[in-house]
Amino acid sequence: MADSQDEMMERLAAHLSRTYKGLALACLHLPVPITLEVTGATNVTAIPAVRRVMEVTLDQPMPEEHQANLFSVCAYWLGAMDLVGILATAEFHAARAHSASACLLMADQVLLDLAGWLGSLDD
């Protein structure tokens, strides 16, 4: 059982990292670009950075729908990060791991929507 728990935690960690990198890339293409540290980023630096993106979302000169998408990506990612933190420090439960995965899947979908809009700005 511990092996499957370790595998789930590894998959979640990799998914958190991929989603964070996608968010960082999207942030570079915002109307007012935001730079998130990617190389060398840790939970200690990434969590407050994503919180800060949430705080300044309304300052971005973009339609409300896309502000909401940016805010949502951050919220889903932070929620997944919180759940993974609980999984790492408390009793492991598969339902919690699946919840973290669901948060990341939602973040990825909203990030795709945001990226589509950001890509249309270049056309």
Side-chain angles (χ1 to χ4, degrees), residues 25-123:
L25 182 60
C27 284
L28 286 175
H29 292 90
L30 291 170
V32 177
I34 299 171
T35 301
L36 296 179
E37 179 184 6
V38 176
T39 305
T42 66
N43 298 352
V44 173
T45 58
I47 291 170
V50 173
R51 287 179 183 154
R52 181 70 180 134
V53 172
M54 288 179 80
E55 292 170 2
V56 301
T57 296
L58 291 177
D59 297 332
Q60 285 290 330
M62 52 199 264
E64 189 175 301
E65 172 187 356
H66 303 297
Q67 287 177 335
N69 285 342
L70 178 60
F71 189 90
S72 295
V73 172
C74 295
Y76 286 129
W77 186 87
L78 287 167
M81 183 62 83
D82 287 348
L83 288 166
V84 168
I86 293 169
L87 284 167
T89 59
E91 181 181 350
F92 183 91
H93 197 284
R96 187 170 281 137
H98 292 301
S99 296
S101 183
C103 286
L104 290 169
L105 291 172
M106 290 301 298
D108 291 344
Q109 184 59 54
V110 176
L111 189 55
L112 282 174
D113 293 344
L114 179 61
W117 177 76
L118 291 170
S120 73
L121 296 178
D122 295 332
D123 296 339

